[in-house]
Amino acid sequence: MEIVRTVEALQEAKQRQQGSIGFVPTMGALHAGHLSLIRRARAENDVVIVSIFVNPTQFLEGEDLDAYPRREAADTEICERAGVDLLFMPTISQMYESDELSIGAPAKRGYILEGAKRPGHFDGMLQIVMKLLNLTGATRAYFGKKDAQQLVLIQQMVRTYFIPVEIVPCEIVRDSDGLALSSRNAYLSEEERSRALALSRALRKTTERITAGERDVEVLQRVMIDAMEGVDAIEYAVIVDRVFRPVETLKPGNAILLVAARVGRTRLIDNLWI
Ligand code: AMP
């Protein structure tokens, strides 16, 4: 595995590789969720590139940019063992210049739910993903359904800007008790972690009602909210279709259950595609 830290070094290293490129962008503190994306990229491509970059432009003022876990040595080892070819870990100055032009998230879909709670977050996310897709020249790029709204916005960006890449959505990896893996789980105390199970429990309970025949979204959203007892604040618990439009009646095959909540000082999200 080759570790590259500059744009120039990445371009040089790429010239020594041949064939299809599978790309997995991450912010590091790698866990089994990231690893599932890397493994899939490894299975489906000749060359695998992973990036680790804690992107400042997608953090809002007062968010956890400085506290975000950084584990370069452990991450490097995980990538090495997973058979990654190129690990790209740039500095901020490699990725940004001053007075940049920027792209923006769509006015509606980019400013609801996560976009409403974190206004500007998706602009920064799309900006860095656009840069990384162009830089790596990825044939396929792998994204987790864990960040459902992010995934849908990236698919839209690729469509809008005719970026020649295939976006591959990947299933959410969970701990055995149901908690969706996240680098931010590292912030949780033991007591908070057990309360954080409310998110996946809410998704499970709502699914049971759907399996039993319930289709009324208002009723189902109430089930989700009630099942989230134990968290410190519910940010949202909603059902949308696969392009994030609100729905009144759930249609299996075209729905996403989405929850976001705060436990202690940690903000957690989870979802289920129905
Ligand atoms: P992050 O490092 O949090 O920016 O995540 C990098 C990629 O890993 C994104 O595409 C995430 O959606 C994905 N990811 C994060 N957690 C999980 C998980 N538990 N299961 C599957 N994919 C995940």
Side-chain angles (χ1 to χ4, degrees):
M1 184 176 78
E2 205 172 330
I3 296 175
V4 288
R5 295 181 191 274
T6 65
V7 168
E8 208 181 0
L10 177 65
Q11 275 155 352
E12 273 172 23
K14 261 181 55 194
Q15 276 172 4
R16 291 192 288 275
Q17 306 279 351
Q18 271 186 355
S20 62
I21 297 174
F23 173 50
V24 183
T26 80
M27 298 206 298
L30 301 182
H31 50 63
H34 298 114
L35 194 55
S36 73
L37 272 53
I38 296 171
R39 290 212 174 108
R40 181 139 179 218
R42 181 68 284 167
E44 296 177 353
N45 300 278
D46 299 308
V47 180
V48 175
I49 305 179
V50 171
S51 66
I52 296 179
F53 182 62
V54 182
N55 174 39
T57 66
Q58 71 189 67
F59 286 78
L60 272 62
E61 203 60 42
E63 285 189 344
D64 57 344
L65 174 62
D66 294 333
Y68 199 84
R70 287 161 171 90
R71 303 205 186 109
E72 193 176 305
D75 288 351
T76 303
E77 172 131 11
I78 289 170
C79 288
E80 177 97 58
R81 282 202 202 161
V84 171
D85 297 295
L86 299 178
L87 176 55
F88 182 47
M89 295 193 283
T91 55
I92 292 171
S93 63
Q94 282 293 313
M95 297 309 294
Y96 288 104
E97 55 186 315
S98 60
D99 194 25
E100 283 221 354
L101 68 82
S102 57
I103 58 164
K108 289 181 193 148
R109 203 174 298 156
Y111 285 88
I112 54 169
L113 303 168
E114 284 303 286
K117 293 292 171 191
R118 307 179 70 191
H121 163 71
F122 286 131
D123 303 82
M125 180 280 291
L126 292 170
Q127 183 182 23
I128 194 65
V129 172
M130 167 88 108
K131 283 170 185 272
L132 290 169
L133 291 176
N134 288 334
L135 253 180
T136 56
T139 317
R140 301 183 187 85
Y142 296 79
F143 292 90
K145 288 181 173 178
K146 165 84 175 12
D147 299 283
Q149 199 173 356
Q150 163 174 296
L151 170 62
V152 168
L153 291 174
I154 290 168
Q155 286 171 322
Q156 183 177 1
M157 177 177 75
V158 163
R159 214 169 47 235
T160 303
Y161 288 98
F162 306 105
I163 304 174
V165 63
E166 180 192 338
I167 300 300
V168 183
C170 299
E171 295 307 320
I172 300 176
V173 177
R174 299 173 179 283
D175 264 338
S176 53
D177 56 9
L179 185 69
L181 298 186
S182 163
S183 303
R184 289 193 167 96
N185 291 353
Y187 299 147
L188 299 170
S189 68
E190 208 173 304
E191 180 270 335
E192 288 170 343
R193 198 193 170 288
S194 71
R195 287 195 290 125
L197 293 176
L199 280 84
S200 55
R201 186 174 60 231
L203 298 173
R204 221 170 32 246
K205 285 201 169 163
T206 313
T207 311
E208 283 165 17
R209 288 292 291 272
I210 295 168
T211 308
E214 186 61 72
R215 294 290 181 271
D216 185 328
V217 163
E218 219 178 290
V219 173
L220 292 167
Q221 287 180 173
R222 177 49 53 195
V223 173
M224 276 203 276
I225 289 167
D226 290 346
M228 280 169 81
E229 203 181 325
V231 302
D232 291 308
I234 297 174
E235 291 201 344
Y236 56 79
V238 297
I239 300 178
V240 295
D241 72 9
R242 298 263 170 111
V243 285
F244 277 78
R245 286 177 307 210
V247 284
E248 284 176 15
T249 306
L250 180 134
K251 291 193 183 63
N254 188 21
I256 313 176
L257 317 185
L258 296 159
V259 290
R262 249 191 334 92
V263 178
R265 292 169 57 159
T266 308
R267 203 175 165 272
L268 298 169
I269 58 171
D270 199 352
N271 66 75
L272 194 79
W273 300 51
I274 298 277

